Amino acid sequence: MSDEQEKRVINSREQGDELSTTGRLMNYNEQLKRELGKGLDFTRQLDRLITTTDPHELFAAADKLTAFQLNSAYLIYPQQFSKADYYLIFLNRLLQQHQNEAVTLRADEDADELYHEFPEITEDGHFTFTFADNTEQGAYYTERTTGNALFYLNFQEKVMRINSHAVTNLMVLDYTKRYHFEVIHRFEQYLLAIGEYLQQDFDFDVDFSVLDPANGHFHPFRQAGRPEQALDKLFILASNAGRMLTTSGVNNAVLDLGMGTSVQIIANPNGKAAQWGLVVTDDQQQVSWFDLLFKYEFLRDWYMENIEILEIAADARYFND
């Protein structure tokens, strides 16, 4: 090979290396600009979540932020709110828009996370959102100390489900030992308000379970079949408390509590007869099964002593307690 030919080969290689390096640099720069643009979009969504007065903008921002992947191979943001934090911020903003800021949003610097604090139960009432492996799109509103998941929330499916098992464990078994019912009732109203606002503003499908005061809401027992022994016990307890449990046929027992309030223990009127449960009825549609457990000690004793049979079942699609 002549000297001239060798120079041409070397120049060609150098130019190829230069073009390859330039291409990589341009690609890197384009990727970086794209990721920076994504970061700016993130800040716009966060602005909406924090400041908007439009409920639909609020929901759209929360929905996007909980699914937002901010980090990439080209750009890492070391300081970020977590997915759980956006759920908490959304609830606070939702309550704020309805002039009902029942909880305080606080930051735990040690755990590097936000949490809700219910003012009247500050020693125990710290709540965050947690996630299950099989429900990546939804989150569970969980009391941090006990791990009781009080409700499930899913933005994509527009679903909220109260967990009857966790509500009973935390608010009936635990909180009654240290708080007056007035405090527990205010916390109950807070949970109800969240569901009502989600229904009103965004057409969520909400199951209030044991907190539901609506007449005609059938609460299925966890265990199928007619609870014969439990009904016998209720007859005695009710009689001792000056109340009357009456039966009509084999599929209906009615406990009259007076003042227009009654509890029916019946086979599911809209399903299989083997599935039994209860229905609370009151003239004002303001009393839930949860409320009755606090108002009537004999009912609470009966329910808790027979909890393996009588526990109101939570939605099995989201809870497996």
Side-chain angles (χ1 to χ4, degrees):
M1 182 183 295
S2 66
D3 290 344
E4 188 64 32
Q5 288 175 320
E6 188 174 348
K7 287 179 180 178
R8 284 199 295 269
V9 170
I10 293 171
N11 287 341
S12 176
R13 288 174 179 170
E14 288 176 347
Q15 288 175 1
D17 290 344
E18 182 180 348
L19 288 172
S20 176
T21 301
T22 300
R24 286 198 298 270
L25 289 171
M26 290 180 66
N27 179 63
Y28 170 78
N29 198 38
E30 288 302 314
Q31 291 286 352
L32 191 58
K33 285 190 287 186
R34 187 177 296 115
E35 295 304 326
L36 287 170
K38 189 170 75 171
L40 288 173
D41 181 44
F42 169 84
T43 63
R44 285 190 289 268
Q45 299 303 331
L46 188 56
D47 275 341
R48 291 191 181 99
L49 183 68
I50 297 170
T51 64
T52 185
T53 58
D54 184 314
H56 297 288
E57 275 197 357
L58 174 67
F59 180 73
D63 189 21
K64 289 179 180 178
L65 286 168
T66 55
F68 214 103
Q69 297 295 326
L70 192 55
N71 287 342
S72 72
Y74 290 85
L75 196 59
I76 302 293
Y77 294 82
Q79 295 293 326
Q80 295 184 45
F81 287 112
S82 71
K83 183 178 178 180
D85 293 336
Y86 297 124
Y87 277 90
L88 291 172
I89 296 168
F90 167 75
L91 288 187
N92 265 81
R93 295 285 290 115
L94 178 65
L95 292 162
Q96 187 180 72
Q97 289 187 351
H98 286 270
Q99 293 79 51
N100 184 13
E101 294 182 77
V103 290
T104 304
L105 184 65
R106 298 198 182 279
D108 185 334
E109 302 296 342
D110 294 331
D112 194 26
E113 68 178 6
L114 301 180
Y115 66 92
H116 275 168
E117 180 182 87
F118 193 76
E120 295 175 285
I121 51 176
T122 53
E123 292 181 3
D124 309 285
H126 292 179
F127 302 90
T128 59
F129 276 98
T130 58
F131 303 88
D133 293 338
N134 62 339
T135 54
E136 293 180 358
Q137 291 184 332
Y140 294 87
Y141 193 70
T142 305
E143 201 281 315
R144 294 202 307 182
T145 303
T146 63
N148 283 297
L150 296 181
F151 65 82
Y152 171 79
L153 186 62
N154 188 311
F155 290 149
Q156 287 72 41
E157 295 180 3
K158 288 192 173 182
V159 163
M160 177 184 172
R161 292 288 185 270
I162 294 288
N163 183 0
S164 53
H165 177 77
V167 165
T168 301
N169 276 348
L170 185 67
M171 299 168 67
V172 179
L173 283 178
D174 189 356
Y175 283 179
T176 50
K177 299 173 184 176
R178 57 188 95 184
Y179 304 111
H180 294 297
F181 175 65
E182 290 76 12
V183 174
I184 300 172
H185 181 64
R186 281 190 281 275
F187 186 68
E188 173 197 8
Q189 293 301 307
Y190 158 67
L191 296 177
L192 286 171
I194 291 173
E196 289 167 0
Y197 300 154
L198 290 171
Q199 283 180 322
Q200 295 168 18
D201 294 351
F202 314 116
D203 197 29
F204 263 59
D205 176 11
V206 179
D207 180 3
F208 293 104
S209 189
V210 292
L211 305 183
D212 196 336
N215 288 348
H217 185 95
F218 179 76
H219 300 285
F221 296 141
R222 182 187 291 272
Q223 183 172 306
R226 192 174 192 269
E228 290 284 359
Q229 293 184 348
L231 284 173
D232 291 342
K233 293 176 182 177
L234 180 59
F235 181 85
I236 296 171
L237 290 170
S239 178
N240 292 338
R243 307 292 177 180
M244 181 61 69
L245 178 70
T246 59
T247 58
S248 174
V250 295
N251 289 333
N252 195 347
V254 180
L255 177 64
D256 186 357
L257 297 170
M259 303 297 290
T261 302
S262 65
V263 179
Q264 288 180 283
I265 301 165
I266 58 174
N268 189 348
N270 301 312
K272 297 179 181 179
Q275 181 61 63
W276 278 67
L278 60 85
V279 174
V280 176
T281 303
D282 73 288
D283 292 344
Q284 304 300 317
Q285 297 205 63
Q286 294 180 347
V287 178
S288 67
W289 175 242
F290 179 83
D291 296 324
L292 293 180
L293 293 179
F294 285 90
K295 188 172 183 179
Y296 297 98
E297 186 175 353
F298 80 91
L299 269 185
R300 183 168 69 250
D301 290 343
W302 172 70
Y303 185 64
M304 299 313 302
E305 288 172 7
N306 298 277
I307 195 68
E308 292 184 3
I309 299 171
L310 301 174
E311 183 173 39
I312 304 303
D315 192 324
R317 290 171 294 178
Y318 308 106
F319 305 105
N320 57 5
D321 296 312

